[in-house]
Amino acid sequence: MRRSNALARTAVIAAIALGAVLGGAQAASAHDSLESTSPSSGATVSSLSEVSLDFSANLLGYDGGNIVIVLGPDGRHYETDCVDLSGPTLTAPVALGAAGEYQVEWRAISSDGHPISGSFSFTSTAAGTSAGAEQSPCAAAVSAGEAPSASPDTAPTGGLSGLTLGLLVGGGVVVLVGVVVVIILRTRPREE
């Protein structure tokens, strides 16, 4: 009887440890992070035709989920079109206006499906020709029912991510091991 109890305790401890490992794997696979920007945060530029952001993994291409907004010193929008997504890189065309500090605000759909966001600024030393716009050209496109531009190869497929599939398979293995342990413990002859 003592051996059965010890075996059962060992199986429970092993299942808990495996669950902790799988849970840690999920936590370790945190959202993607912004690796670099062009221009870089705090940079000074004399001209600029686009703003690009590079992330640690390929982003998901949900319509309207990936946004880059460039606000000038006058609070107007200086992005000239919706963001383009190519793997881990978001690119937004810009036409700068007055010299001064520009704020870039972004939102992206991480490879795990969760939204991430942030902002950075840069300074323009030369006056551009654009007068900017009251609202983002992408906000107008979304409200008109048009899909913001994104590369067709980055459109969501609707399938499971590798992490989700791995967690499902790992969870299934834990359940299977538990069932096998219970069967073994119930079918062993009891010592009296």
Side-chain angles (χ1 to χ4, degrees):
M1 185 81 159
R2 289 183 189 198
R3 183 177 170 172
S4 297
N5 286 342
L7 184 59
R9 271 186 255 137
T10 302
V12 168
I13 291 170
I16 290 171
L18 187 55
V21 167
L22 290 175
Q26 184 177 14
S29 66
H31 310 307
D32 303 328
S33 60
L34 180 63
E35 302 246 312
S36 65
T37 63
S38 177
S40 60
S41 180
T44 299
V45 299
S46 58
S47 67
L48 189 67
S49 62
E50 66 182 24
V51 170
S52 67
L53 297 84
D54 292 311
F55 292 85
S56 59
N58 289 347
L59 302 174
L60 297 180
Y62 294 119
D63 288 343
N66 299 310
I67 299 170
V68 174
I69 294 173
V70 181
L71 298 171
D74 54 2
R76 296 176 65 85
H77 288 265
Y78 287 90
E79 69 276 14
T80 58
D81 200 356
C82 297
V83 68
D84 181 50
L85 172 62
S86 179
T89 304
L90 290 176
T91 306
V94 298
L96 300 183
E101 184 175 85
Y102 285 78
Q103 183 76 19
V104 179
E105 298 173 0
W106 58 269
R107 182 183 74 204
I109 303 300
S110 184
S111 62
D112 66 0
H114 291 98
I116 54 176
S117 61
S119 64
F120 66 94
S121 61
F122 65 90
T123 302
S124 173
T125 58
T129 59
S130 176
E134 284 293 319
Q135 72 175 29
S136 173
C138 293
V142 170
S143 64
E146 301 170 19
S149 58
S151 301
D153 58 325
T154 59
T157 61
L160 296 175
S161 73
L163 174 64
T164 303
L165 186 59
L167 290 174
L168 288 173
V169 169
V173 168
V174 169
V175 170
L176 183 61
V177 167
V179 168
V180 169
V181 167
V182 168
I183 291 172
I184 289 171
L185 290 176
R186 286 192 174 188
T187 58
R188 289 191 117 187
R190 294 188 179 180
E191 297 177 21
E192 293 183 39

